[in-house]
Amino acid sequence: MIFNRWIAFWSVLLMLLPASVNAAQYNYIDISNPFLRKTPIAVPVFKVPAQDRAAMRTAESAAQRLAYYLEFTGYFSISDPGAFLEDPQAMDITGAGIRYRNWTVIGAEMLVTGGVEIREGEAQFELRLFDTVKQKMLVGKRYRGKPDDYNRVARRFCSEVVFAVTGSRGFFDSKLAFVSNGTGHKEIYLSDFDGSNVQQFTRHNSISLFPDWSSDGRWIAYTTYANKRPQIRIQNVKEKRWSGIDKPGLQAVAAWVPGEFKLAAGLSFSGDLEIYLLTGNGKVIKRLTNSVGIDGEPTWAPDGKRLAFVSRRAGNPQIYILDTDSGRVQRLTFEGRYNTQPSWSPKGDRIAYSAMKSGVIDIFTIDPENGEAVQLTENQGSNEAPTWSPDGSLIAFSSTREGKSRIYVMTAYGTDQRRLLTLPGEQTNPKWSPNIVTP
């Protein structure tokens, strides 16, 4: 039976572990540990019926993508297939006959097994994760779809693997928005979380900057000079619907309220640039800041009750925190004379930001409670515009370490820094979306 491409891709909730098992009890990977040791994991080519070349192509592609995504997390190191002591096409994949010693002896502490069958144009993927040291299965899933749905299958199962070992669903359904000037104009582009599948989002033939995703991933607010002055546009991701802010003066840098169709933005219609709370359609609800000097670059705490922002009220740009209930404002950064671009972690425990130190801009994180700061980048060009993955495990940012500005990613502790993509021109202003589950 041949299913519609999108409807057919569904996960049969064949949990080979009881659904009530909480992954946190495993304590495999402590994601709060800045000195995290990567867990060696083996991902053999998935097993297929004998002589089924179409299934083998799908199995090889699926296993490669799965290994790539697992390594991308920063939690795992992928075991060398050349060291395997088992033939992937002859080994048991269900657990009953797995010879765990053959995996632990090559250093693999975890093992992914899989099987692929294709019948009448429909592919069935059966995937499992094993702890080879404790000799137990951690999770199992079965998926059905078209043979070339292997990439989506790999992402879905990676989410299950990461949840099993960390208690977090990861970032595999997320995207990135960023700015690129490859066309000769600064336009906003979208890509998958790993920099693949790049698509141009705006076509204003002008300057468009500072994209920010709504909590449901359906809208992007950004600043554009399409009408010769900076204005904020709120645009639907899938459709051509959009709205603007009907106020004179400058408009700059919007930030969506977590879980609500509202946003904060810097507006100057009343004088200096101040931060206002707006509806998702751009109508002013109320003024949030009121000071002598410029206030802007808002970023929300995950509870939507506190707002970090940049202000020049002390003479130079520093980061402050506003309690929106009480109206109380506290200064957060004191070291240095240039601290900007705050980005509040989805976990709420850190704020990433850009700071100038010794004439160079680098990325730091700071504890919003005690002001303890940690430097993440150093001696590698100019590094700016940090943005957190939806699970708080990674930070994307722009850097000039290779000359032109490109988008890079690193762990929340500054390790595993690597470039995501290379496009014509330069790429800046990355913004990570929430996890967006597609049909």
Side-chain angles (χ1 to χ4, degrees), residues 13 16 33 59 68 74 90 94 136 139 153 158 167 193 221 227 233 263 275 343 347 417 429 431-432:
L13 297 180
L16 301 177
N33 180 6
Y68 165 73
T94 65
K136 62 186 294 186
V139 67
V153 169
C158 277
F193 68 87
N227 292 325
R233 177 174 289 207
L263 63 163
I275 298 174
S343 177
K347 298 178 181 179
Q417 298 184 18
N429 292 153
K431 189 66 179 184
W432 219 310

Side-chain angles (χ1 to χ4, degrees), residues 82-266:
F84 292 173
L85 302 178
E86 296 272 358
D87 178 358
Q89 298 307 308
M91 64 181 286
D92 174 73
I93 65 171
T94 65
I98 290 180
R99 291 175 285 195
Y100 292 102
R101 174 64 178 169
N102 284 346
W103 298 103
T104 57
V105 75
I106 66 168
E109 298 173 14
M110 290 188 177
L111 169 67
V112 173
T113 68
V116 178
E117 290 188 21
I118 299 178
R119 295 179 181 177
E120 297 182 344
E122 179 191 357
Q124 178 168 285
F125 303 80
E126 190 170 310
L127 307 177
R128 295 173 176 84
L129 172 69
F130 294 92
D131 179 334
T132 61
V133 178
K134 296 181 180 179
Q135 300 187 8
K136 62 186 294 186
M137 184 169 62
L138 303 183
V139 67
K141 283 285 185 176
R142 182 178 294 159
Y143 305 91
R144 290 178 181 170
K146 296 296 183 181
D148 56 0
D149 280 327
Y150 65 83
N151 191 42
R152 302 177 74 198
V153 169
R155 292 189 185 191
R156 296 291 172 88
F157 190 67
C158 277
S159 181
E160 299 294 341
V161 170
V162 170
F163 181 70
V165 299
T166 70
S168 168
R169 287 292 180 186
F171 45 75
F172 301 103
D173 291 314
S174 66
K175 292 181 176 293
L176 282 169
F178 59 92
V179 175
S180 181
N181 64 358
T183 64
H185 303 280
K186 290 188 176 181
E187 303 282 6
I188 293 172
Y189 290 72
L190 309 182
S191 75
D192 290 348
F193 68 87
D194 61 344
S196 63
N197 192 28
V198 175
Q199 298 175 322
Q200 187 172 341
F201 180 66
T202 65
R203 299 180 185 275
H204 295 309
N205 295 325
S206 181
I207 298 173
S208 296
L209 305 165
F210 312 123
D212 192 66
W213 298 81
S214 62
S215 294
D216 61 6
R218 296 181 179 180
W219 299 86
I220 291 178
Y222 60 95
T223 302
T224 182
Y225 285 73
N227 292 325
K228 309 303 180 184
R229 66 179 178 89
Q231 293 179 297
I232 292 172
R233 177 174 289 207
I234 303 163
Q235 187 163 326
N236 189 275
V237 174
K238 297 294 185 182
E239 304 169 6
K240 294 183 178 180
R241 290 185 293 143
W242 66 275
S243 59
I245 299 173
D246 186 20
K247 292 292 182 183
L250 304 180
Q251 304 172 12
V253 190
W256 290 92
V257 180
E260 298 186 43
F261 193 58
K262 299 176 183 178
L263 63 163

Side-chain angles (χ1 to χ4, degrees), residues 363 376-377 393-395 397 408-412 414-417:
I363 292 172
L376 301 187
T377 63
S393 68
L394 298 177
I395 297 174
F397 60 102
Y408 292 76
V409 69
M410 61 184 167
T411 70
T415 60
D416 289 354
Q417 298 184 18

Side-chain angles (χ1 to χ4, degrees), residues 46-112:
F46 301 152
K47 195 172 183 177
V48 302
Q51 308 303 317
D52 191 333
R53 294 184 179 179
M56 178 56 73
R57 288 193 295 270
T58 298
E60 290 175 344
S61 297
Q64 289 171 1
R65 296 308 293 178
L66 184 62
Y68 165 73
Y69 290 141
L70 289 174
E71 188 173 35
F72 188 90
T73 66
Y75 298 145
F76 304 97
S77 61
I78 307 302
S79 298
D80 180 9
F84 292 173
L85 302 178
E86 296 272 358
D87 178 358
Q89 298 307 308
M91 64 181 286
D92 174 73
I93 65 171
T94 65
I98 290 180
R99 291 175 285 195
Y100 292 102
R101 174 64 178 169
N102 284 346
W103 298 103
T104 57
V105 75
I106 66 168
E109 298 173 14
M110 290 188 177
L111 169 67
V112 173

